[in-house]
């Protein structure tokens, strides 16, 4: 791969419980060219979640201060909490040639789509609503009331899937990861992303 390759910004959305976290964890273990943006949120950590690794867990005051300082690429309110993507680290990673995954919900994703044409967007879907509920209950991290809210939100999110370039079915984790690897590899070979490689060769040819 060319040294001066710019990384790709990859937005990955899908209903809560569709398996985004599971897929991304394995994907990052396989790919050293790809990193995950750590979002800021006002929701409470789930058991086992670590500050600075899974999210930057902050108060509403701190979140609103970051909005005022224009520190987010995007942010949204989801089920009563704020979630946002800090902008500075993303710019740094892309310049270093790393692909950056934003694991964000659809309102935030649509905001990014509206002002970045170089984006790769992927929607993760599930085989059925029943399977989604089974996964949410199986994860055991939310109350019945929160699960009901997430199922409602899932219905809305599925109606926005058409805004994404790719839809990946997470029926089996390994298959879903293969599908995403295929997308990332193909997207990185688009002419616009390979142009510098061509120009370097041309430069060499013209000095012969
Ligand atoms: P999300 O990050 O989208 O909210 P998670 O990655 O936390 O979803 O997955 C929700 C639950 O479903 C977890 O308990 C996870 O182990 C399980 N899960 C994920 N993918 C699959 C799959 N393909 N088949 C069965 N269970 C899955
Ligand atoms: P959870 O509470 O399950 O971790 O996340 C809830 C939803 O918020 C998920 O759909 C997740 O993708 C989304 N999310 C996480 N971080 C961000 C963010 O920075 N911005 C936006 N818009 N959504 C986010």
């Amino acid at each position: 791969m060319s040294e001066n390759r710019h990384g790709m910004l990859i937005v990955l959305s899908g209903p809560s419980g569709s398996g985004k976290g599971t897929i991304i964890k394995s994907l990052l273990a396989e790919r050293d060219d790809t990193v995950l943006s750590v979002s800021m949120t006002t929701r409470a950590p789930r058991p086992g979640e670590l500050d600075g690794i899974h999210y930057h867990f902050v108060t509403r005051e701190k979140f609103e201060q970051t909005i005022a300082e224009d520190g987010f690429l995007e942010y949204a309110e989801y089920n009563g909490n704020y979630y946002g993507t800090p902008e500075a680290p993303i710019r740094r990673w892309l310049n270093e040639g790393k692909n950056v995954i934003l694991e964000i919900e659809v309102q935030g994703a649509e905001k990014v789509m509206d002002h970045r044409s170089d984006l790769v967007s992927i929607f993760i879907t599930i085989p059925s609503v029943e399977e989604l509920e089974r996964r949410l209950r199986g994860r055991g991290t939310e109350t019945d009331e929160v699960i009901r809210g997430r199922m409602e939100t899932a219905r809305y999110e599925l109606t926005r899937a058409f805004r994404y370039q790719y839809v990946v079915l997470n029926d089996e984790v390994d298959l879903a990861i293969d599908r995403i690897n295929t997308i990332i590899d193909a997207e990185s070979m688009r002419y616009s992303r390979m142009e510098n490689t061509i120009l370097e060769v041309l430069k060499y040819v013209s000095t012969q």
Side-chain angles (χ1 to χ4, degrees):
M1 208 49 88
S2 167
E3 284 299 305
N4 52 14
R5 192 178 89 86
H6 202 252
M8 286 187 283
L9 189 59
I10 303 168
V11 164
L12 203 132
S13 307
S16 181
S18 57
K20 302 179 296 295
T22 309
I23 291 168
I24 290 171
K25 196 168 163 214
S26 300
L27 193 76
L28 294 181
E30 283 178 22
R31 302 191 70 111
D32 59 7
D33 61 353
T34 304
V35 296
L36 175 66
S37 155
V38 180
S39 296
M40 201 182 269
T41 186
T42 57
R43 89 150 159 74
R46 295 187 187 124
E49 282 185 333
L50 300 171
D51 188 36
I53 305 274
H54 297 94
Y55 282 104
H56 300 289
F57 295 100
V58 298
T59 59
R60 284 188 86 84
E61 289 70 33
K62 167 73 185 162
F63 198 101
E64 282 166 359
Q65 185 192 332
T66 311
I67 297 174
E69 290 165 355
D70 214 10
F72 291 119
L73 177 67
E74 62 71 40
Y75 70 92
E77 254 192 293
Y78 180 90
N79 285 335
N81 286 301
Y82 277 130
Y83 293 83
T85 305
E87 182 154 32
I90 291 176
R91 216 174 314 121
R92 214 170 36 240
W93 279 319
L94 292 176
N95 285 334
E96 285 169 11
K98 296 275 190 205
N99 303 321
V100 182
I101 299 183
L102 309 185
E103 194 248 274
I104 62 179
E105 53 66 64
V106 298
Q107 302 167 68
E110 290 191 43
K111 283 187 218 160
V112 185
M113 287 172 198
D114 290 342
H115 63 258
R116 293 219 36 160
S117 56
D118 57 341
L119 194 68
V120 178
S121 57
I122 306 175
F123 188 89
I124 305 289
T125 191
I126 42 351
S128 66
V129 172
E130 292 75 22
E131 173 61 15
L132 180 64
E133 185 161 0
R134 219 175 356 260
R135 288 186 196 173
L136 280 173
R137 292 197 184 282
R139 186 165 71 185
T141 49
E142 281 99 358
T143 60
D144 273 4
E145 195 191 333
V146 172
I147 289 177
R148 267 196 299 279
R150 298 218 158 186
M151 295 298 296
E152 241 348 275
T153 309
R155 266 174 244 282
Y156 164 71
E157 288 166 327
L158 287 160
T159 68
R160 303 307 298 170
F162 77 95
R163 288 288 322 262
Y164 293 72
Q165 294 162 321
Y166 298 96
V167 175
V168 166
L169 175 66
N170 176 23
D171 44 0
E172 285 182 39
V173 175
D174 287 350
L175 292 179
I177 292 166
D178 286 348
R179 290 167 187 143
I180 293 177
N181 273 321
T182 304
I183 295 168
I184 296 177
D185 292 340
E187 281 286 340
S188 70
M189 289 181 273
R190 277 189 188 277
Y191 175 77
S192 56
R193 299 198 175 96
M194 292 300 289
E195 189 172 35
N196 284 340
T197 309
I198 298 282
L199 294 179
E200 270 168 39
V201 177
L202 278 177
K203 198 163 66 191
Y204 179 74
V205 170
S206 67
T207 57
Q208 289 298 292

